[in-house]
Amino acid sequence: ASINDDTISFIEAGTGTGKTFAYLIPAILWAVKNGERILVSTHTKNLQEQIFQRDLPDLLRILGPRAAGIRGAILKGRSNYLCLRKRDAVRAGEATSPSFAGMDDPEMKRLLAWSDVTETGDIADLSPAPSRDVWEEVEDKADTCLRMRCELFKTCHYYNSRRAAAAANIIISNHALTFTDLALRGRSDGGAGLMPGYTKIVLDEGHHIENAASSVLTQTTSRRGLLLTLSRLFAEGAD
């Protein structure tokens, strides 16, 4: 009824009662009938993965022809993805972090081996996850991304995820990325954001919305982040 009438609804139910199916089924049918894109946003990445990997595929099989043409995509923030250019820099001995343990570090060896076979570049696909120090050496970041000027742009894991989202009817996001997208749209003259446009949104785990929004709309820094920025500036100045 909320989707049909374009109204806001707050729905609460106990664990295991089928809330996810309850909103995914009408979302899928609406997308089929109206040719519109629907955004589903969760608080935890675990639920995000569950919906994309299990719930949505199960429902598409159950609905069969009624869900014809529906494609799902999962979107996460940049820091979840491996940067191929940084990966190659590490292999070339061009690491910038002052705390980098070197190529002989077992975690880095495992990460580099994974980087050659992963299809998504998503850290969630690497288990167990590497330490923060190791991952930070190769993670995708906006302030170091060359975008279309990068020779690896066409195979970039982060931009591949955005391309998949642009071709999808159901996008599975998380609250952090959703509110980042909304903030960018609010500051942009043309309303451009991180995600393709959508007409309906489902906020799962809605009791976390206030904290998620506050976290996204607050600027923070750390000693480690400051040192990394200074080390990059020093390296660029030396060149």
Side-chain angles (χ1 to χ4, degrees):
S2 296
I3 292 176
N4 282 333
D5 300 334
D6 198 23
T7 58
I8 297 173
S9 288
F10 294 88
I11 303 168
E12 185 173 2
T15 302
T17 53
K19 296 186 295 296
T20 304
F21 279 19
Y23 65 69
L24 279 179
I25 292 172
I28 292 169
L29 297 178
W30 174 270
V32 170
K33 184 175 181 179
N34 296 278
E36 297 181 1
R37 184 181 291 115
I38 292 183
L39 177 70
V40 175
S41 181
T42 72
H43 174 62
T44 60
K45 292 176 184 176
N46 286 340
L47 179 56
Q48 190 181 7
E49 290 283 350
Q50 174 191 311
I51 293 172
F52 179 68
Q53 299 288 350
R54 191 182 71 190
D55 296 342
L56 183 59
D58 283 350
L59 282 179
L60 293 180
R61 283 194 297 270
I62 292 169
L63 291 172
R66 289 177 292 175
I70 290 295
R71 298 177 65 178
I74 187 168
L75 268 182
K76 299 179 181 179
R78 278 183 181 273
S79 61
N80 291 278
Y81 297 97
L82 168 81
C83 173
L84 296 174
R85 182 175 61 85
K86 285 186 176 180
R87 185 272 313 271
D88 290 347
V90 167
R91 281 183 167 153
E94 301 171 359
T96 59
S97 172
S99 61
F100 179 53
M103 289 291 293
D104 292 332
D105 182 89
E107 282 195 314
M108 181 57 76
K109 285 184 175 180
R110 185 170 62 89
L111 190 154
L112 292 176
W114 167 80
S115 73
D116 292 329
V117 297
T118 177
E119 296 182 358
T120 66
D122 186 346
I123 190 175
D125 294 340
L126 178 58
S127 181
S131 66
R132 182 61 194 161
D133 287 350
V134 170
W135 179 250
E136 197 164 49
E137 195 60 44
V138 297
E139 72 176 333
D140 200 324
K141 287 186 176 181
D143 60 348
T144 57
C145 179
L146 300 180
R147 296 173 175 78
M148 294 185 68
R149 293 183 289 112
C150 179
E151 60 182 12
L152 298 171
F153 177 76
K154 291 184 178 180
T155 55
C156 173
H157 292 302
Y158 171 68
Y159 283 105
N160 278 344
S161 71
R162 293 186 62 180
R163 294 179 191 112
N169 318 85
I170 308 290
I171 297 177
I172 314 300
S173 177
N174 57 69
H175 294 343
L177 184 60
T178 297
F179 282 103
T180 299
D181 175 73
L182 291 173
L184 288 175
R185 291 178 189 276
R187 293 196 297 264
S188 170
D189 292 337
L194 293 173
M195 295 185 280
Y198 51 88
T199 56
K200 308 289 181 183
I201 181 170
V202 177
L203 296 168
D204 202 335
E205 300 179 304
H207 53 292
H208 292 287
I209 290 176
E210 183 178 358
N211 289 336
S214 298
S215 176
V216 168
L217 301 176
T218 300
Q219 296 294 326
T220 61
T221 188
S222 65
R223 181 176 183 275
R224 176 174 176 77
L226 182 60
L227 289 175
L228 284 172
T229 300
L230 290 174
S231 65
R232 284 199 300 268
L233 289 173
F234 178 78
E236 291 172 4
D239 292 340

